[in-house]
Amino acid sequence: MKKFFLLTAGFIGTKVGLSFEDQEVVAYGMEVIFSIFLSLMLALILGIQWGIASEILVVALVWIIIRSFAGGAHCSTLWRCAFTSTFIMLVLGGTAKKIFNFYDQKVIILTILFCGLVALIITFIWAPADNPVKRILSESRRRNFRNKALVVEIFVIVFLLLACLLMGNTYSSLLFAAALAMGMEGLTISPIGYRIMTYIDKLLGFLEKARWRGGEKV
Amino acid sequence: MKKLTLWLLTGLVGILTLVSFASAASACGWLLYQPEVPAKLRKE
């Protein structure tokens, strides 16, 4: 896919008059937008069919906001990312939608506090969790990201608690989805999350190879 | 027509550059995929 984005950026670059370095920046922007668009669209299409679209949007929003500062584990290719992200968003959104009916306000508050606390502790210890493609080596930059991630998480926790107290059970499934997304993001920062993600990545890679060889191994 | 295309492409390049900058300034990719950051945006 990267070649396709570079070719497209090259085409635009020749029309507008961009240097090769600027074309790379434009291609990077395309790749970022495409990866988010692909995962979100897949999750939303399935979410609309299953009636969990709003929960999925909340999961994506909380996840993306915290992840911008805290980092986290990654898949190695765009397609594996799309599959895993979609799967996680569907599971979290579906869980929030199905389970919240059985819980009252107190349980939702406890869930928000528990997931928030887990996310805060993990963020304090391991954030920002970088990856080989994008290393954060400067200590001041790491500290800056960690502090921002903690502030954002505290803000999200306070917002969710206030929303829960003020609105009662009206939007419980959305609040539950946001709490789960916060907990999940915390998990992807931790070493266990990295190990799980590596395992999923390898599993998907194995399935991809088996499929492309004619499917004889599947 | 040619001028309009040029305007549109310039706008597109502006938006894509903004997204690139925002993504490069964040700790990592916004979902589970992190494309390789171009040398021009790399900051360690």
Side-chain angles (χ1 to χ4, degrees), chain A residues 71-140:
Chain A
H74 282 284
C75 292
S76 55
T77 69
L78 181 62
W79 304 108
R80 292 177 206 174
C81 153
F83 178 82
T84 317
S85 305
T86 306
F87 181 73
I88 290 173
M89 283 191 271
L90 285 173
V91 168
L92 295 184
T95 309
K97 185 76 175 182
K98 300 294 172 202
I99 287 182
F100 92 99
N101 284 326
F102 303 109
Y103 291 155
D104 62 0
Q105 198 182 22
K106 281 178 190 166
V107 181
I108 291 172
I109 289 175
L110 281 175
T111 311
I112 293 168
L113 286 174
F114 176 74
C115 290
L117 198 67
V118 167
L120 280 174
I121 292 169
I122 292 176
T123 303
F124 185 74
I125 300 172
W126 287 297
D130 55 4
N131 60 83
V133 183
K134 193 177 181 185
R135 302 301 306 271
I136 307 166
L137 298 175
S138 153
E139 189 50 43
S140 64

Side-chain angles (χ1 to χ4, degrees), chain A residues 22 25 67-68 75 134 141, chain B residues 20 23 26-27 31-32 40:
Chain A
D22 291 337
V25 173
R67 202 172 169 80
S68 304
C75 292
K134 193 177 181 185
R141 203 157 172 247
Chain B
S20 301
S23 176
S26 64
L31 283 176
L32 288 177
K40 202 171 183 180

Side-chain angles (χ1 to χ4, degrees), chain A residues 12 15-16 22 24-26 28-33 36 39 64 67-69 71-75 77-78 81 84-85 131 133-134 137-138 141 145 197, chain B residues 5-6 9-10 12-44:
Chain A
I12 296 172
K15 299 276 178 195
V16 183
D22 291 337
E24 275 188 333
V25 173
V26 171
Y28 177 68
M30 283 181 196
E31 214 172 348
V32 169
I33 288 181
I36 292 173
S39 303
I64 288 172
R67 202 172 169 80
S68 304
F69 301 106
H74 282 284
C75 292
T77 69
L78 181 62
C81 153
T84 317
S85 305
N131 60 83
V133 183
K134 193 177 181 185
L137 298 175
S138 153
R141 203 157 172 247
F145 271 128
M197 202 57 76
Chain B
T5 313
L6 195 66
L9 286 176
T10 311
L12 183 68
V13 166
I15 292 167
L16 290 170
T17 308
L18 192 73
V19 171
S20 301
F21 277 33
S23 176
S26 64
C28 74
W30 291 325
L31 283 176
L32 288 177
Y33 180 59
Q34 172 63 61
E36 199 177 330
V37 184
K40 202 171 183 180
L41 297 178
R42 224 170 282 155
K43 185 183 175 187
E44 302 184 341

Side-chain angles (χ1 to χ4, degrees), chain A residues 6-22:
Chain A
L6 277 171
L7 277 173
T8 313
F11 172 75
I12 296 172
T14 48
K15 299 276 178 195
V16 183
L18 297 175
S19 67
F20 180 71
E21 281 183 326
D22 291 337

Side-chain angles (χ1 to χ4, degrees), chain A residues 163-183:
Chain A
C164 192
L165 290 171
L166 294 174
M167 291 188 286
N169 283 339
T170 319
Y171 298 107
S172 298
S173 65
L174 300 182
L175 300 175
F176 205 70
L180 289 180
M182 200 162 44

